[in-house]
Amino acid sequence: MEDTRDLAERTPRSERKRRDSFGMFDGYDSCSEESTSSSSSEDSEDEVVPSIPASLPIIKNNGQVYTYPDGKAGMATCEMCGMVGVRDAFYSKTKRFCSVSCSRSYSSNSKKASILARLQGKPPTKKAKVLQKQPLMAKLAAYAQYQASQQNQAKSKAVVPAESFDWGRYICSNNTVGAPVSCFKHAPMGLCWGDIEEGVRIEVLNSDTNLSTKVYWIAEIIKLAGFKALLRYEGFDNDTSKDFWCNLCIPEVHPVGWCASSGKPLVPPKSIQHKYSNWKAFLVKRLTGAKTLPPDFNVKVHENMQFPFKKLMRVEVVDKNYLCRTRVALVEQVIGGRLRLVYEESQDGSDDFWCHMFSPLIHNIGWSRSIGHRFKRSDITKKMEGQVDAPAQLFQKVKDVDQTGDWFRDGMKLEAIDPLNLSAICVATVRKVLADGYLMIGIDGSEAVDGSDWFCYHGTSPSIFPVGFCEINNIELTPPRGYTKLPFKWFDYLRETGSIAAPVKLFNKEVPNHGFRQGMKLEAVDLMEPRLVCVATVTRIVHRLLRIHFDGWEDEYDQWVDCESPDLYPVGWCQLTGYQLQPPASQSNRDTPQSVPKQKKKAQQYKGQKKKRKIPVGRRPFSQAGRRRSSFSGDEEQSPPPYPAQGPARPRPRTHLHQTHKSGNVTLKDQNQHCTEPPEARRRRFHQETVL
């Protein structure tokens, strides 16, 4: 913005008056490279000293700085002493020498010795150093400092690339579509995306130009994929050679008319600058009746990127080691609405948990006591400075229900998504009815003896279903572990167990017009490792239930999630928020035997005792072999009611698989570097260690 303002100030007043209502100049020549090249380099922030390869040495000797590369554009190398400096500051019109001393010494008897010293990497002669001009040395020192800063920036950027995955190329190569932003009500702009569609015109930076300052041109949206859009500059017609993908929520995207109101120049791309003699008439014809972004689009993007949760706010969140209870945690980091929560008793900040601020897993302080949910009392008696309880109004509200009449009762049967294996919908039982419509659900045949893997679902949760839901919708229902009468029949099972099915009328039957379609691409949280957001695809839709497949992985890693799950995001969400996106796993890194042909495996069928259960890291109970046999050793405010076990209890993994972090100071750059092994290796290890 500053560059174009400087350009306007250097343009004669008569020339500025000739700009039309589109912000264009009357004719491309008035903004040509020749007219701007004569402007002072000090007036342009984009113009920097040409860089020298970082591999070239910088030698310091007695406070002097010397380098020995060949000269680059804008720089010069002294042919006598080898010093590099700004060309304009060198001696004489030829700019061959840095000083009068070097010019005279070049033809003296010391010529050969000086050149030999330069080739050997030694500083120039003493005589040459004494006669150096102070302004030149100041410029050289400044340039050396600039070079060092550029090297440091390059190193820091190399740690985590801004976006290592090219969504545009991936979508085009696979001929797929991205889910619209309007499908994600919890995401930024999800509620105010409006009528942004193919054919909408916008003003963007013109990258097809030789000008040293920022100029803009109008582009048309050819294809949309989440926040990302395939753009084509006006004037290219059916020519796709300059098409490019762009995130529509970045600051450089504006509605048509912004350049005119902001005094920014509209300049046609150089590839087509001579295609039309009257660009103004061309734009008037092309833009008549065309749609553009709302005038307050950028303001809305900024407002939508503000999140109410702040660092050191206290919340109650599910205990990832005991699903049946909650603990107090502190907000450590907020990225795009996702929270990194550190459990209050964590000594080094490594005991953390990732979830979205609208997740059903987090609540305000006091929630557990108010509904009768288990809660682990903290040993912390004094709050840290700056800690504050998160206000109750920040949390997602649940629907009010009437529990006085027909309602869920202990022992009722239903079907539920297994919180320890999100690819499976299982036979389940209501184990305890809490207040405000909440239920404690256990997975039949797989429950721990102490009930530590009971999971809290609200009665209106889209993750629980009436008996027969899977059969009606042709979904494989996972029967109780150890149940031998297959295929599983609900009528026989209810009779054998003396149970009743929860009434169908109690379940949430609302199906919103979510807009998802089979095959749509999106970015989804891998709930096995909730720190990771991955490239994913919607592979099946059952009412409001979505089957999410992680690209590059077998079907057994799929997850059933609700269409309004806060763990789903549009294409480009990671780039917009600065979160690291996990690309699809390559074939060589997947957990596939070498002898098996490289093709997608079918979802593994239930085979009794050999069933593999993938346990999400962020929701994993402790191993049975690593803790006392007693339930909760007095730190619980409530204990589970006794109940008869149905079948053998599910064995626990032998190791606690949650990856602990070496440091609690997590940044955007190291959010995915807590573990030394790559995500693919962790996935394989998690899968192998949870085989029963």
Side-chain angles (χ1 to χ4, degrees):
M1 294 175 64
E2 303 246 346
D3 298 330
T4 52
R5 188 180 300 115
D6 293 339
L7 177 63
E9 292 175 359
R10 296 194 300 271
T11 305
R13 180 176 301 177
S14 60
E15 203 168 321
R16 291 201 301 269
K17 287 182 178 180
R18 288 191 285 117
R19 296 185 191 180
D20 55 36
S21 58
F22 292 110
M24 286 189 60
F25 287 86
D26 274 342
Y28 181 83
D29 293 339
S30 61
C31 222
S32 64
E33 185 176 8
E34 290 76 18
S35 63
T36 56
S37 60
S38 60
S39 60
S40 172
S41 61
E42 297 178 356
D43 294 336
S44 175
E45 293 180 3
D46 284 349
E47 189 171 344
V48 296
V49 179
S51 60
I52 293 176
S55 60
L56 297 173
I58 297 180
I59 300 177
K60 298 182 179 180
N61 185 24
N62 297 327
Q64 306 294 328
V65 182
Y66 307 99
T67 57
Y68 298 91
D70 293 330
K72 299 293 182 182
M75 304 296 292
T77 304
C78 181
E79 295 184 13
M80 180 61 196
C81 66
M83 182 173 292
V84 175
V86 181
R87 182 178 297 276
D88 292 341
F90 267 42
Y91 175 71
S92 77
K93 295 181 179 180
T94 61
K95 309 300 182 184
R96 296 175 59 194
F97 307 102
C98 64
S99 64
V100 178
S101 173
C102 284
S103 177
R104 293 174 179 175
S105 299
Y106 188 79
S107 58
S108 67
N109 293 333
S110 61
K111 174 182 176 181
K112 293 182 179 180
S114 296
I115 294 177
L116 180 61
R118 172 164 62 92
L119 295 175
Q120 292 175 346
K122 298 178 181 179
T125 61
K126 182 178 180 180
K127 180 179 179 181
K129 285 193 296 183
V130 172
L131 296 178
Q132 290 295 331
K133 298 179 181 180
Q134 183 59 32
L136 174 60
M137 296 309 300
K139 290 181 179 181
L140 288 173
Y143 174 71
Q145 185 177 5
Y146 165 79
Q147 186 183 41
S149 66
Q150 290 295 102
Q151 292 175 357
N152 292 334
Q153 290 180 10
K155 291 180 180 179
S156 63
K157 291 180 180 179
V159 176
V160 176
E163 187 180 14
S164 57
F165 177 71
D166 188 347
W167 259 120
R169 180 181 301 177
Y170 187 70
I171 288 176
C172 290
S173 61
N174 292 278
N175 193 26
T176 56
V177 297
V181 174
S182 56
C183 293
F184 309 87
K185 307 302 183 185
H186 59 281
M189 302 299 292
L191 295 174
C192 50
W193 192 244
D195 296 328
I196 300 177
E197 57 188 7
E198 295 177 5
V200 168
R201 265 68 168 196
I202 59 177
E203 292 181 356
V204 293
L205 285 174
N206 181 2
S207 59
D208 185 19
T209 179
N210 291 329
L211 301 177
S212 59
T213 56
K214 291 182 180 179
V215 293
Y216 295 80
W217 191 240
I218 297 173
E220 178 184 358
I221 297 178
I222 304 300
K223 186 174 183 178
L224 269 176
F227 290 117
K228 295 201 146 276
L230 180 63
L231 302 178
R232 182 176 303 165
Y233 289 123
E234 284 293 349
F236 277 89
D237 299 329
N238 295 324
D239 183 1
T240 63
S241 60
K242 295 296 181 180
D243 288 2
F244 62 99
W245 285 87
C246 177
N247 194 311
L248 293 181
C249 292
I250 63 175
E252 290 78 12
V253 173
H254 306 279
V256 172
W258 177 83
C259 284
S261 61
S262 304
K264 306 299 180 183
L266 276 176
V267 179
K270 65 178 182 179
S271 302
I272 57 172
Q273 60 180 302
H274 302 299
K275 188 174 182 179
Y276 298 96
S277 58
N278 190 337
W279 282 101
K280 177 180 178 180
F282 169 79
L283 289 182
V284 170
K285 181 179 179 180
R286 292 287 294 175
L287 299 179
T288 300
K291 292 183 179 180
T292 187
L293 301 177
D296 59 345
F297 183 79
N298 299 86
V299 175
K300 287 185 177 179
V301 171
H302 177 74
E303 293 175 349
N304 276 254
M305 291 298 292
Q306 308 304 312
F307 305 101
F309 282 87
K310 306 300 178 185
K311 187 175 181 179
L312 295 184
M313 280 187 173
R314 300 172 76 242
V315 301
E316 287 185 11
V317 64
V318 66
D319 188 339
K320 64 187 180 185
N321 302 316
Y322 291 94
L323 301 183
C324 64
R325 71 184 183 188
T326 58
R327 295 172 61 184
V328 174
L330 301 176
V331 177
E332 177 63 24
Q333 203 172 358
V334 183
I335 307 176
R338 300 207 78 219
L339 309 178
R340 177 179 176 252
L341 304 173
V342 176
Y343 290 111
E344 192 174 48
E345 293 178 302
S346 176
Q347 299 296 326
D348 56 359
S350 62
D351 192 8
D352 66 352
F353 182 77
W354 282 89
C355 66
H356 193 272
M357 62 183 183
F358 293 152
S359 170
L361 303 178
I362 61 171
H363 309 275
N364 59 290
I365 297 296
W367 173 83
S368 297
R369 184 184 296 273
S370 67
I371 70 164
H373 193 279
R374 286 180 179 174
F375 175 75
K376 183 181 185 299
R377 293 193 298 266
S378 174
D379 295 334
I380 304 298
T381 57
K382 185 178 180 181
K383 292 183 181 180
M384 293 172 49
E385 184 178 356
Q387 288 185 11
V388 61
D389 293 350
Q393 60 267 24
L394 299 187
F395 298 87
Q396 192 78 340
K397 305 300 180 183
V398 294
K399 183 179 179 181
D400 293 332
V401 295
D402 182 12
Q403 296 184 226
T404 58
D406 288 339
W407 188 243
F408 292 96
R409 296 198 303 272
D410 293 359
M412 282 185 172
K413 299 295 182 181
L414 68 163
E415 298 175 4
I417 296 177
D418 186 354
L420 299 182
N421 182 6
L422 298 171
S423 66
I425 298 178
C426 305
V427 175
T429 304
V430 177
R431 288 302 177 190
K432 187 177 181 181
V433 178
L434 309 179
D436 295 343
Y438 287 96
L439 313 169
M440 296 303 296
I441 303 295
I443 303 300
D444 283 20
S446 302
E447 298 171 72
V449 176
D450 58 3
S452 60
D453 56 357
W454 291 359
F455 195 72
C456 185
Y457 281 120
H458 193 265
T460 61
S461 170
S463 298
I464 59 175
F465 317 96
V467 165
F469 173 83
C470 287
E471 182 179 1
I472 293 174
N473 294 284
N474 195 26
I475 300 175
E476 181 185 0
L477 176 67
T478 302
R481 187 170 183 270
Y483 189 76
T484 57
K485 294 184 178 181
L486 301 178
F488 178 83
K489 297 294 183 182
W490 262 116
F491 180 81
D492 295 338
Y493 184 71
L494 291 174
R495 184 181 56 188
E496 293 169 4
T497 57
S499 306
I500 62 173
V504 176
K505 64 181 181 180
L506 299 180
F507 293 87
N508 182 8
K509 295 179 285 294
E510 179 184 359
V511 181
N513 185 18
H514 48 70
F516 285 103
R517 298 292 180 268
Q518 188 170 328
M520 282 183 171
K521 298 292 182 181
L522 69 165
E523 299 174 4
V525 175
D526 178 4
L527 294 173
M528 283 187 64
E529 180 62 65
R531 186 171 55 248
L532 304 180
V533 177
C534 311
V535 173
T537 306
V538 177
T539 56
R540 192 175 177 197
I541 302 174
V542 181
H543 305 303
R544 62 181 300 150
L545 197 62
L546 307 180
R547 181 82 172 182
I548 302 299
H549 174 76
F550 295 105
D551 290 13
W553 295 96
E554 285 77 16
D555 294 346
E556 61 190 67
Y557 292 102
D558 290 0
Q559 296 176 171
W560 285 108
V561 298
D562 182 56
C563 63
E564 296 181 346
S565 169
D567 295 314
L568 305 178
Y569 308 103
V571 168
W573 179 87
C574 283
Q575 181 192 25
L576 176 63
T577 60
Y579 208 95
Q580 181 67 30
L581 177 66
Q582 301 298 317
S586 60
Q587 183 71 38
S588 59
N589 291 331
R590 300 194 316 194
D591 189 16
T592 305
Q594 295 293 332
S595 59
V596 178
K598 295 184 179 181
Q599 59 185 6
K600 181 177 287 189
K601 298 197 311 182
K602 295 183 179 180
Q604 187 169 357
Q605 301 296 317
Y606 180 80
K607 296 181 180 179
Q609 299 293 335
K610 295 183 179 180
K611 171 69 177 177
K612 295 184 179 180
R613 293 186 60 83
K614 305 188 303 298
I615 301 182
V617 174
R619 301 177 179 177
R620 185 180 304 281
F622 276 125
S623 62
Q624 188 76 9
R627 55 187 176 91
R628 293 189 293 262
R629 300 179 68 87
S630 59
S631 295
F632 295 102
S633 64
D635 66 347
E636 283 291 319
E637 292 193 350
Q638 298 193 23
S639 299
Y643 66 94
Q646 296 186 7
R650 174 173 49 194
R652 295 288 134 201
R654 295 185 178 181
T655 58
H656 177 45
L657 301 182
H658 181 71
Q659 297 293 326
T660 56
H661 311 325
K662 297 181 179 179
S663 172
N665 300 323
V666 182
T667 63
L668 285 176
K669 293 182 179 179
D670 62 9
Q671 66 181 0
N672 297 302
Q673 295 179 350
H674 301 299
C675 311
T676 56
E677 56 185 341
E680 291 80 4
R682 292 203 301 274
R683 273 178 172 272
R684 293 198 304 272
R685 182 168 54 78
F686 296 157
H687 186 70
Q688 292 169 356
E689 292 180 342
T690 53
V691 175
L692 297 181

